[in-house]
Amino acid sequence: VSPVEAQSRLNHMIDVLANGGVTIAANVNAFTPVSTIQALRELPLDWVFIDMEHGPFEPRTLREFVLALRAPDGTFPVTPVARVAANCSEIKFNQWQVKQVLDVGAAFGVALAHCDKREWVEEGVIAMRYPPFQNDDSQRPRGLRGFGPTGAGIWGLTGAQYAQVADLWPLDPNGELLFIPLLESNEAINHLGSMLTVPGVGATVIGTADLHADMGFAGQSGVPEVEAQIQKAAEIAGRLGVPIGLPAGSAAEIQRRIAQGFRIFIVGGSPATLADILRDLGRYK
C-alpha cells in the first residue's frame, strides 16, 4: 500500500488510482483546526476528505484548508476532496455548492452524498464540468459550470490554463478533477451498475454507517446483511474498473479490505492516530 513516489500530475489521488494504487485519506470538517490540516500535509496520506455535509458549509474555510495542504513548492502531495452539503438528488438545484467548492476552494474533487440513481449521478457530472470546447472529444454529459475560476492561482495556473485541465478524469484523460458518488443506501447498491457507467465518474465510496441505517441497523456495524451488499458493490465496481472505497479504522481493516478489492480508504482520528496506522501499513517510519 505504498503511495506513488513521483507526482506526474496536479491531482495526486488520480495519480495513484490511475496506476492501480491504494489511496488513504484523513477525514476532517470545518471544525478541524488549520494547524491539524498542516500536520496532515506532512503525513504520507494521498488525500483529505473534507466533510461539508455534516459540518458547516463554509467555502472560505475550505480555501484555508486547501492552502494549508499546498506544499512550499506549490504542489499538492495530499489531495483535497470536499463533500458538499446537498445530497445527490438535490444537486440539480444546488449547482452553486459545487461551483463554490471548485471556484473559491479550488478543491481537486467533489463527493456527493446519497447517490441512488443514474440521473442524479449525471447531474453531479454536469455541475462539475464546464461546457465543452468546440473540439472536445468528450461532449457529453454537457457541463453547466459557470466560468469564474477565482481559485486557479492556488493550482499555480492562469484561468485559461485551468480551463484546460478542470475536467473529470477519466472521461478526460488529462482532467484533474475527481467526482466521487457516495453509496449510502440499498437502492444505491442495486443501481450501482448503471451509476458507475455514467461518463465522468472517477471513483465511488460506500458510506457504511448510512448503509447500515438505510437497511434498518442504525448505529451498528458489521451486520451480515449489510456486509453482503458491501461485497456486492465491490464486485460490481471491480468488474467495471471503477475504484471503490469505504471508511476504515485500523491498518488491519485496510489490509483486509484491500484483499476484497477496495482501493480507497477514509480514516478518522488525530494526526498521531493516522501516523500509527500509516506506520503499521509500512508507509511511515
Side-chain angles (χ1 to χ4, degrees), residues 26-59:
N27 187 16
V28 304
N29 60 37
F31 298 115
T32 304
V34 173
S35 59
T36 298
I37 304 299
Q38 293 169 330
L40 293 175
R41 192 190 74 202
E42 302 303 319
L43 295 177
L45 293 163
D46 300 295
W47 61 299
V48 170
F49 181 78
I50 305 170
D51 183 9
M52 303 175 77
E53 177 193 14
H54 295 295
F57 187 88
E58 297 182 1

mmCIF file of all heavy atoms in Angstrom, residues 26-59:
data_model
loop_
_atom_site.group_PDB
_atom_site.id
_atom_site.type_symbol
_atom_site.label_atom_id
_atom_site.label_comp_id
_atom_site.label_asym_id
_atom_site.label_seq_id
_atom_site.Cartn_x
_atom_site.Cartn_y
_atom_site.Cartn_z
ATOM 1 N N ALA A 26 -7.466 11.260 5.298
ATOM 2 C CA ALA A 26 -7.895 11.694 6.625
ATOM 3 C C ALA A 26 -9.263 12.342 6.488
ATOM 4 O O ALA A 26 -9.547 13.010 5.489
ATOM 5 C CB ALA A 26 -6.901 12.694 7.202
ATOM 6 N N ASN A 27 -10.104 12.145 7.492
ATOM 7 C CA ASN A 27 -11.451 12.707 7.499
ATOM 8 C C ASN A 27 -11.468 13.948 8.381
ATOM 9 O O ASN A 27 -11.162 13.876 9.579
ATOM 10 C CB ASN A 27 -12.433 11.665 8.028
ATOM 11 C CG ASN A 27 -13.874 12.116 7.911
ATOM 12 O OD1 ASN A 27 -14.182 13.057 7.180
ATOM 13 N ND2 ASN A 27 -14.767 11.470 8.633
ATOM 14 N N VAL A 28 -11.809 15.123 7.808
ATOM 15 C CA VAL A 28 -11.834 16.375 8.567
ATOM 16 C C VAL A 28 -13.124 17.126 8.254
ATOM 17 O O VAL A 28 -13.835 16.799 7.299
ATOM 18 C CB VAL A 28 -10.615 17.261 8.247
ATOM 19 C CG1 VAL A 28 -9.309 16.514 8.496
ATOM 20 C CG2 VAL A 28 -10.671 17.759 6.797
ATOM 21 N N ASN A 29 -13.428 18.156 9.062
ATOM 22 C CA ASN A 29 -14.569 19.017 8.789
ATOM 23 C C ASN A 29 -14.222 20.456 9.152
ATOM 24 O O ASN A 29 -13.078 20.748 9.509
ATOM 25 C CB ASN A 29 -15.822 18.532 9.526
ATOM 26 C CG ASN A 29 -15.653 18.505 11.025
ATOM 27 O OD1 ASN A 29 -15.012 19.370 11.615
ATOM 28 N ND2 ASN A 29 -16.214 17.488 11.667
ATOM 29 N N ALA A 30 -15.215 21.336 9.062
ATOM 30 C CA ALA A 30 -14.951 22.767 9.251
ATOM 31 C C ALA A 30 -14.480 23.099 10.656
ATOM 32 O O ALA A 30 -13.933 24.185 10.882
ATOM 33 C CB ALA A 30 -16.206 23.573 8.914
ATOM 34 N N PHE A 31 -14.696 22.212 11.617
ATOM 35 C CA PHE A 31 -14.261 22.458 12.983
ATOM 36 C C PHE A 31 -12.806 22.042 13.210
ATOM 37 O O PHE A 31 -12.249 22.293 14.280
ATOM 38 C CB PHE A 31 -15.162 21.712 13.965
ATOM 39 C CG PHE A 31 -16.595 22.158 13.923
ATOM 40 C CD1 PHE A 31 -17.588 21.295 13.504
ATOM 41 C CD2 PHE A 31 -16.950 23.445 14.291
ATOM 42 C CE1 PHE A 31 -18.917 21.695 13.463
ATOM 43 C CE2 PHE A 31 -18.281 23.857 14.257
ATOM 44 C CZ PHE A 31 -19.268 22.983 13.837
ATOM 45 N N THR A 32 -12.194 21.388 12.234
ATOM 46 C CA THR A 32 -10.805 20.957 12.364
ATOM 47 C C THR A 32 -9.878 22.170 12.304
ATOM 48 O O THR A 32 -9.990 22.987 11.392
ATOM 49 C CB THR A 32 -10.431 19.976 11.240
ATOM 50 O OG1 THR A 32 -11.339 18.869 11.252
ATOM 51 C CG2 THR A 32 -9.015 19.463 11.407
ATOM 52 N N PRO A 33 -8.959 22.324 13.243
ATOM 53 C CA PRO A 33 -8.035 23.468 13.196
ATOM 54 C C PRO A 33 -7.134 23.419 11.959
ATOM 55 O O PRO A 33 -6.747 22.336 11.503
ATOM 56 C CB PRO A 33 -7.207 23.306 14.476
ATOM 57 C CG PRO A 33 -8.015 22.418 15.365
ATOM 58 C CD PRO A 33 -8.766 21.498 14.449
ATOM 59 N N VAL A 34 -6.818 24.577 11.430
ATOM 60 C CA VAL A 34 -5.918 24.648 10.270
ATOM 61 C C VAL A 34 -4.565 24.032 10.610
ATOM 62 O O VAL A 34 -3.910 23.431 9.749
ATOM 63 C CB VAL A 34 -5.770 26.110 9.800
ATOM 64 C CG1 VAL A 34 -4.707 26.213 8.705
ATOM 65 C CG2 VAL A 34 -7.097 26.634 9.269
ATOM 66 N N SER A 35 -4.132 24.153 11.858
ATOM 67 C CA SER A 35 -2.864 23.553 12.263
ATOM 68 C C SER A 35 -2.877 22.039 12.091
ATOM 69 O O SER A 35 -1.846 21.436 11.752
ATOM 70 C CB SER A 35 -2.539 23.908 13.717
ATOM 71 O OG SER A 35 -3.564 23.444 14.595
ATOM 72 N N THR A 36 -4.039 21.425 12.301
ATOM 73 C CA THR A 36 -4.164 19.979 12.084
ATOM 74 C C THR A 36 -4.037 19.654 10.599
ATOM 75 O O THR A 36 -3.398 18.661 10.223
ATOM 76 C CB THR A 36 -5.514 19.471 12.622
ATOM 77 O OG1 THR A 36 -5.572 19.702 14.033
ATOM 78 C CG2 THR A 36 -5.689 17.980 12.353
ATOM 79 N N ILE A 37 -4.645 20.484 9.758
ATOM 80 C CA ILE A 37 -4.536 20.277 8.303
ATOM 81 C C ILE A 37 -3.068 20.367 7.880
ATOM 82 O O ILE A 37 -2.588 19.570 7.064
ATOM 83 C CB ILE A 37 -5.378 21.316 7.545
ATOM 84 C CG1 ILE A 37 -6.843 21.286 8.013
ATOM 85 C CG2 ILE A 37 -5.292 21.080 6.047
ATOM 86 C CD1 ILE A 37 -7.538 19.981 7.787
ATOM 87 N N GLN A 38 -2.349 21.326 8.414
ATOM 88 C CA GLN A 38 -0.926 21.458 8.096
ATOM 89 C C GLN A 38 -0.146 20.227 8.542
ATOM 90 O O GLN A 38 0.769 19.775 7.845
ATOM 91 C CB GLN A 38 -0.369 22.715 8.758
ATOM 92 C CG GLN A 38 -0.928 24.013 8.179
ATOM 93 C CD GLN A 38 -0.568 25.232 9.001
ATOM 94 O OE1 GLN A 38 -0.402 25.149 10.221
ATOM 95 N NE2 GLN A 38 -0.456 26.383 8.346
ATOM 96 N N ALA A 39 -0.506 19.671 9.707
ATOM 97 C CA ALA A 39 0.157 18.450 10.185
ATOM 98 C C ALA A 39 -0.143 17.278 9.271
ATOM 99 O O ALA A 39 0.731 16.430 9.014
ATOM 100 C CB ALA A 39 -0.278 18.150 11.616
ATOM 101 N N LEU A 40 -1.363 17.206 8.741
ATOM 102 C CA LEU A 40 -1.737 16.111 7.845
ATOM 103 C C LEU A 40 -0.933 16.157 6.550
ATOM 104 O O LEU A 40 -0.626 15.121 5.963
ATOM 105 C CB LEU A 40 -3.234 16.173 7.539
ATOM 106 C CG LEU A 40 -4.184 15.895 8.712
ATOM 107 C CD1 LEU A 40 -5.631 16.120 8.287
ATOM 108 C CD2 LEU A 40 -4.000 14.462 9.226
ATOM 109 N N ARG A 41 -0.586 17.381 6.123
ATOM 110 C CA ARG A 41 0.195 17.520 4.894
ATOM 111 C C ARG A 41 1.560 16.836 5.005
ATOM 112 O O ARG A 41 2.131 16.400 4.000
ATOM 113 C CB ARG A 41 0.389 19.005 4.573
ATOM 114 C CG ARG A 41 0.942 19.268 3.175
ATOM 115 C CD ARG A 41 1.328 20.725 3.015
ATOM 116 N NE ARG A 41 2.562 21.032 3.733
ATOM 117 C CZ ARG A 41 2.927 22.248 4.126
ATOM 118 N NH1 ARG A 41 2.130 23.286 3.915
ATOM 119 N NH2 ARG A 41 4.065 22.438 4.746
ATOM 120 N N GLU A 42 2.060 16.712 6.219
ATOM 121 C CA GLU A 42 3.377 16.131 6.432
ATOM 122 C C GLU A 42 3.331 14.596 6.503
ATOM 123 O O GLU A 42 4.387 13.949 6.526
ATOM 124 C CB GLU A 42 3.985 16.678 7.723
ATOM 125 C CG GLU A 42 4.107 18.195 7.754
ATOM 126 C CD GLU A 42 4.917 18.740 6.584
ATOM 127 O OE1 GLU A 42 5.947 18.117 6.234
ATOM 128 O OE2 GLU A 42 4.512 19.769 6.014
ATOM 129 N N LEU A 43 2.127 14.029 6.545
ATOM 130 C CA LEU A 43 1.999 12.569 6.602
ATOM 131 C C LEU A 43 1.928 11.992 5.193
ATOM 132 O O LEU A 43 1.510 12.673 4.252
ATOM 133 C CB LEU A 43 0.735 12.178 7.376
ATOM 134 C CG LEU A 43 0.694 12.532 8.868
ATOM 135 C CD1 LEU A 43 -0.658 12.153 9.456
ATOM 136 C CD2 LEU A 43 1.817 11.833 9.618
ATOM 137 N N PRO A 44 2.305 10.720 5.008
ATOM 138 C CA PRO A 44 2.222 10.084 3.695
ATOM 139 C C PRO A 44 0.798 9.649 3.365
ATOM 140 O O PRO A 44 0.531 8.481 3.055
ATOM 141 C CB PRO A 44 3.183 8.896 3.827
ATOM 142 C CG PRO A 44 3.159 8.554 5.270
ATOM 143 C CD PRO A 44 2.999 9.854 6.001
ATOM 144 N N LEU A 45 -0.127 10.606 3.443
ATOM 145 C CA LEU A 45 -1.502 10.391 3.004
ATOM 146 C C LEU A 45 -1.605 10.686 1.511
ATOM 147 O O LEU A 45 -0.723 11.322 0.932
ATOM 148 C CB LEU A 45 -2.447 11.318 3.766
ATOM 149 C CG LEU A 45 -2.617 11.087 5.262
ATOM 150 C CD1 LEU A 45 -3.246 12.316 5.916
ATOM 151 C CD2 LEU A 45 -3.470 9.851 5.519
ATOM 152 N N ASP A 46 -2.707 10.251 0.908
ATOM 153 C CA ASP A 46 -2.948 10.563 -0.503
ATOM 154 C C ASP A 46 -3.945 11.694 -0.671
ATOM 155 O O ASP A 46 -3.846 12.478 -1.608
ATOM 156 C CB ASP A 46 -3.466 9.315 -1.227
ATOM 157 C CG ASP A 46 -2.471 8.174 -1.160
ATOM 158 O OD1 ASP A 46 -1.382 8.316 -1.742
ATOM 159 O OD2 ASP A 46 -2.766 7.159 -0.505
ATOM 160 N N TRP A 47 -4.914 11.771 0.254
ATOM 161 C CA TRP A 47 -5.934 12.809 0.126
ATOM 162 C C TRP A 47 -6.552 13.106 1.478
ATOM 163 O O TRP A 47 -6.319 12.379 2.444
ATOM 164 C CB TRP A 47 -6.990 12.421 -0.906
ATOM 165 C CG TRP A 47 -7.784 11.162 -0.648
ATOM 166 C CD1 TRP A 47 -7.304 9.886 -0.524
ATOM 167 C CD2 TRP A 47 -9.202 11.046 -0.499
ATOM 168 N NE1 TRP A 47 -8.329 8.994 -0.321
ATOM 169 C CE2 TRP A 47 -9.509 9.681 -0.311
ATOM 170 C CE3 TRP A 47 -10.251 11.968 -0.535
ATOM 171 C CZ2 TRP A 47 -10.810 9.214 -0.129
ATOM 172 C CZ3 TRP A 47 -11.549 11.507 -0.368
ATOM 173 C CH2 TRP A 47 -11.812 10.148 -0.182
ATOM 174 N N VAL A 48 -7.296 14.210 1.519
ATOM 175 C CA VAL A 48 -8.043 14.594 2.705
ATOM 176 C C VAL A 48 -9.511 14.733 2.306
ATOM 177 O O VAL A 48 -9.833 15.423 1.328
ATOM 178 C CB VAL A 48 -7.524 15.911 3.311
ATOM 179 C CG1 VAL A 48 -8.469 16.416 4.383
ATOM 180 C CG2 VAL A 48 -6.130 15.713 3.900
ATOM 181 N N PHE A 49 -10.378 14.059 3.050
ATOM 182 C CA PHE A 49 -11.821 14.100 2.820
ATOM 183 C C PHE A 49 -12.392 15.192 3.709
ATOM 184 O O PHE A 49 -12.451 15.052 4.931
ATOM 185 C CB PHE A 49 -12.427 12.738 3.151
ATOM 186 C CG PHE A 49 -13.912 12.636 2.926
ATOM 187 C CD1 PHE A 49 -14.425 12.470 1.650
ATOM 188 C CD2 PHE A 49 -14.799 12.677 3.995
ATOM 189 C CE1 PHE A 49 -15.790 12.367 1.439
ATOM 190 C CE2 PHE A 49 -16.161 12.564 3.798
ATOM 191 C CZ PHE A 49 -16.662 12.408 2.517
ATOM 192 N N ILE A 50 -12.804 16.309 3.097
ATOM 193 C CA ILE A 50 -13.294 17.460 3.831
ATOM 194 C C ILE A 50 -14.825 17.411 3.843
ATOM 195 O O ILE A 50 -15.476 17.610 2.812
ATOM 196 C CB ILE A 50 -12.794 18.766 3.196
ATOM 197 C CG1 ILE A 50 -11.259 18.753 3.094
ATOM 198 C CG2 ILE A 50 -13.263 19.976 4.001
ATOM 199 C CD1 ILE A 50 -10.679 19.886 2.266
ATOM 200 N N ASP A 51 -15.387 17.127 4.998
ATOM 201 C CA ASP A 51 -16.828 16.912 5.136
ATOM 202 C C ASP A 51 -17.553 18.227 5.342
ATOM 203 O O ASP A 51 -17.477 18.838 6.405
ATOM 204 C CB ASP A 51 -17.089 15.965 6.309
ATOM 205 C CG ASP A 51 -18.561 15.636 6.468
ATOM 206 O OD1 ASP A 51 -19.357 16.004 5.570
ATOM 207 O OD2 ASP A 51 -18.920 15.001 7.475
ATOM 208 N N MET A 52 -18.280 18.676 4.313
ATOM 209 C CA MET A 52 -19.090 19.889 4.407
ATOM 210 C C MET A 52 -20.574 19.541 4.416
ATOM 211 O O MET A 52 -21.422 20.418 4.252
ATOM 212 C CB MET A 52 -18.742 20.827 3.247
ATOM 213 C CG MET A 52 -17.265 21.192 3.195
ATOM 214 S SD MET A 52 -16.804 22.176 1.763
ATOM 215 C CE MET A 52 -17.414 23.782 2.245
ATOM 216 N N GLU A 53 -20.870 18.248 4.603
ATOM 217 C CA GLU A 53 -22.262 17.816 4.731
ATOM 218 C C GLU A 53 -22.709 17.882 6.186
ATOM 219 O O GLU A 53 -23.731 18.479 6.522
ATOM 220 C CB GLU A 53 -22.426 16.379 4.212
ATOM 221 C CG GLU A 53 -23.848 15.846 4.374
ATOM 222 C CD GLU A 53 -23.966 14.355 4.174
ATOM 223 O OE1 GLU A 53 -22.937 13.648 4.155
ATOM 224 O OE2 GLU A 53 -25.112 13.884 4.050
ATOM 225 N N HIS A 54 -21.946 17.266 7.069
ATOM 226 C CA HIS A 54 -22.313 17.226 8.483
ATOM 227 C C HIS A 54 -21.718 18.383 9.273
ATOM 228 O O HIS A 54 -22.144 18.654 10.389
ATOM 229 C CB HIS A 54 -21.881 15.889 9.091
ATOM 230 C CG HIS A 54 -22.603 14.718 8.498
ATOM 231 N ND1 HIS A 54 -23.955 14.525 8.645
ATOM 232 C CD2 HIS A 54 -22.154 13.687 7.740
ATOM 233 C CE1 HIS A 54 -24.317 13.425 8.018
ATOM 234 N NE2 HIS A 54 -23.250 12.904 7.451
ATOM 235 N N GLY A 55 -20.727 19.068 8.701
ATOM 236 C CA GLY A 55 -20.194 20.281 9.299
ATOM 237 C C GLY A 55 -20.724 21.485 8.534
ATOM 238 O O GLY A 55 -21.419 21.342 7.527
ATOM 239 N N PRO A 56 -20.433 22.698 8.977
ATOM 240 C CA PRO A 56 -20.913 23.899 8.276
ATOM 241 C C PRO A 56 -20.384 23.955 6.846
ATOM 242 O O PRO A 56 -19.249 23.561 6.573
ATOM 243 C CB PRO A 56 -20.339 25.051 9.113
ATOM 244 C CG PRO A 56 -20.024 24.453 10.444
ATOM 245 C CD PRO A 56 -19.646 23.033 10.176
ATOM 246 N N PHE A 57 -21.230 24.446 5.939
ATOM 247 C CA PHE A 57 -20.809 24.622 4.554
ATOM 248 C C PHE A 57 -20.110 25.972 4.447
ATOM 249 O O PHE A 57 -20.763 27.016 4.372
ATOM 250 C CB PHE A 57 -22.006 24.555 3.607
ATOM 251 C CG PHE A 57 -21.609 24.558 2.156
ATOM 252 C CD1 PHE A 57 -21.332 23.377 1.503
ATOM 253 C CD2 PHE A 57 -21.493 25.742 1.447
ATOM 254 C CE1 PHE A 57 -20.950 23.375 0.165
ATOM 255 C CE2 PHE A 57 -21.115 25.750 0.121
ATOM 256 C CZ PHE A 57 -20.841 24.551 -0.527
ATOM 257 N N GLU A 58 -18.783 25.967 4.468
ATOM 258 C CA GLU A 58 -18.012 27.196 4.509
ATOM 259 C C GLU A 58 -16.912 27.175 3.447
ATOM 260 O O GLU A 58 -15.812 26.669 3.674
ATOM 261 C CB GLU A 58 -17.380 27.400 5.890
ATOM 262 C CG GLU A 58 -18.392 27.561 7.020
ATOM 263 C CD GLU A 58 -17.732 27.818 8.354
ATOM 264 O OE1 GLU A 58 -16.488 27.885 8.403
ATOM 265 O OE2 GLU A 58 -18.460 27.944 9.348
ATOM 266 N N PRO A 59 -17.175 27.722 2.262
ATOM 267 C CA PRO A 59 -16.143 27.767 1.222
ATOM 268 C C PRO A 59 -14.875 28.491 1.660
ATOM 269 O O PRO A 59 -13.778 28.137 1.239
ATOM 270 C CB PRO A 59 -16.841 28.489 0.068
ATOM 271 C CG PRO A 59 -18.291 28.220 0.279
ATOM 272 C CD PRO A 59 -18.470 28.201 1.764
#
